[in-house]
Amino acid sequence: MSALLDLNGIEIAALVLITFTAGLVRGFSGFALSAMVMASAVLILPPVELIPICWFLEMSASVLMARGGWRDADRGVVKGLVIGSALGLPLGLALTQAVSVEISALLALSLLIVLAASQLAKLRLPFLATTPGLYGSGVLAGVATGIASIGGMVVALYVLARDAPARQMRGSLVLFLFVSSLISLFTLLIFGVMDRQAALRGMAFILPTMAGVLMGQRLFTPKYEPYYKPFCLSLLIGLAALALIRTLLA
């Protein structure tokens, strides 16, 4: 297994724990799977190698959660975001591949902290709730996906600006992640980011991710829903800040 994945035993064990925890968070919050993986695993693998792994994890989680997304999502909004994301993803990937591993990690972690802090502060940008804001948010989500696989964080800011019902927001985010992941596969293949080793690594961590998602869904309690997102965002900021400090000191 170690030779197949080009990871040692400690790294594999750490990634199993990280992906299970990220799946748990995704299961009861509806977002932040890739963000949790990126914040925690960037000290093991560079962002450009984590992005294709996160693709497999997002797809596995989305398959489990897509039913609720189809039922509750605003499909018109999801369509606009997906189109914009498809345009922005190549830009993000090109930037990630153009800089060094260290700069890429710093860029990914800094972006993650800014987006998480913006959500925690409930930052509302009214101009996002317009047609140009819709497609612009999609493009930014695509760029964020190409840099750190965290396009869902941008979309979360967009749906917050729309002030839509919580169930619709969650459903739109779940459906966006599912549909955009299907489309982004072609871009990852064209850029050579999704190769055989990346696919093997991604598939190797699907089971702990799905186990986490299923457990997270079972643990979800509606009356505690207002507390899930602040907790997840605070945890995310803390993990990303620690990883950022370690990267700077390395």
Side-chain angles (χ1 to χ4, degrees):
M1 179 66 78
S2 294
L4 198 62
L5 302 181
D6 192 24
L7 296 166
N8 61 44
I10 294 175
E11 290 172 335
I12 291 174
L15 286 170
V16 167
L17 179 60
I18 288 169
T19 53
F20 172 79
T21 304
L24 190 70
V25 169
R26 174 70 183 274
F28 64 66
S29 71
F31 77 110
L33 191 159
S34 292
M36 290 292 294
V37 172
M38 189 65 65
S40 306
V42 73
L43 298 175
I44 301 174
L45 293 170
V48 73
E49 293 183 33
L50 287 173
I51 289 170
I53 294 175
C54 288
W55 184 90
F56 280 94
L57 306 188
E58 289 287 0
M59 280 300 298
S60 63
S62 294
V63 166
L64 293 177
M65 302 178 71
R67 185 178 178 183
W70 277 107
R71 184 177 62 246
D72 303 324
D74 183 329
R75 299 184 191 183
V77 165
V78 172
K79 179 182 176 182
L81 291 171
V82 168
I83 292 172
S85 178
L87 298 174
L89 178 58
L91 300 176
L93 284 174
L95 178 60
T96 300
Q97 293 182 323
V99 299
S100 67
V101 171
E102 292 76 15
I103 296 298
S104 177
L106 291 174
L107 187 61
L109 291 168
S110 299
L111 180 60
L112 199 161
I113 291 171
V114 169
L115 290 174
S118 298
Q119 288 191 53
L120 190 60
K122 296 184 178 181
L123 180 65
R124 294 180 183 271
L125 303 173
F127 72 89
L128 292 180
T130 63
T131 299
L134 169 62
Y135 289 95
S137 296
V139 172
L140 288 176
V143 172
T145 297
I147 294 174
S149 197
I150 53 173
M153 302 288 285
V154 177
V155 174
L157 279 177
Y158 171 79
V159 295
L160 182 65
R162 284 178 58 85
D163 199 24
R167 183 176 292 274
Q168 186 185 89
M169 291 169 61
R170 191 170 184 268
S172 297
L173 185 54
V174 169
L175 187 57
F176 164 78
L177 290 171
F178 178 66
V179 178
S180 63
S181 292
L182 288 174
I183 295 174
S184 67
L185 175 60
F186 296 101
T187 307
L188 294 177
L189 289 169
I190 291 171
F191 274 78
V193 175
M194 182 68 79
D195 56 19
R196 180 176 178 274
Q197 186 175 82
L200 288 173
R201 286 173 172 174
M203 289 186 286
F205 299 108
I206 283 178
L207 286 180
T209 300
M210 294 181 78
V213 170
L214 290 171
M215 184 173 290
Q217 288 179 314
R218 290 180 65 106
L219 292 174
F220 177 79
T221 305
K223 68 176 181 179
Y224 295 129
E225 185 172 5
Y227 306 105
Y228 288 142
K229 189 172 182 178
F231 170 77
C232 293
L233 290 171
S234 299
L235 177 62
L236 195 55
I237 292 171
L239 290 172
L242 287 174
L244 184 62
I245 292 170
R246 289 192 61 180
T247 302
L248 289 170
L249 295 178

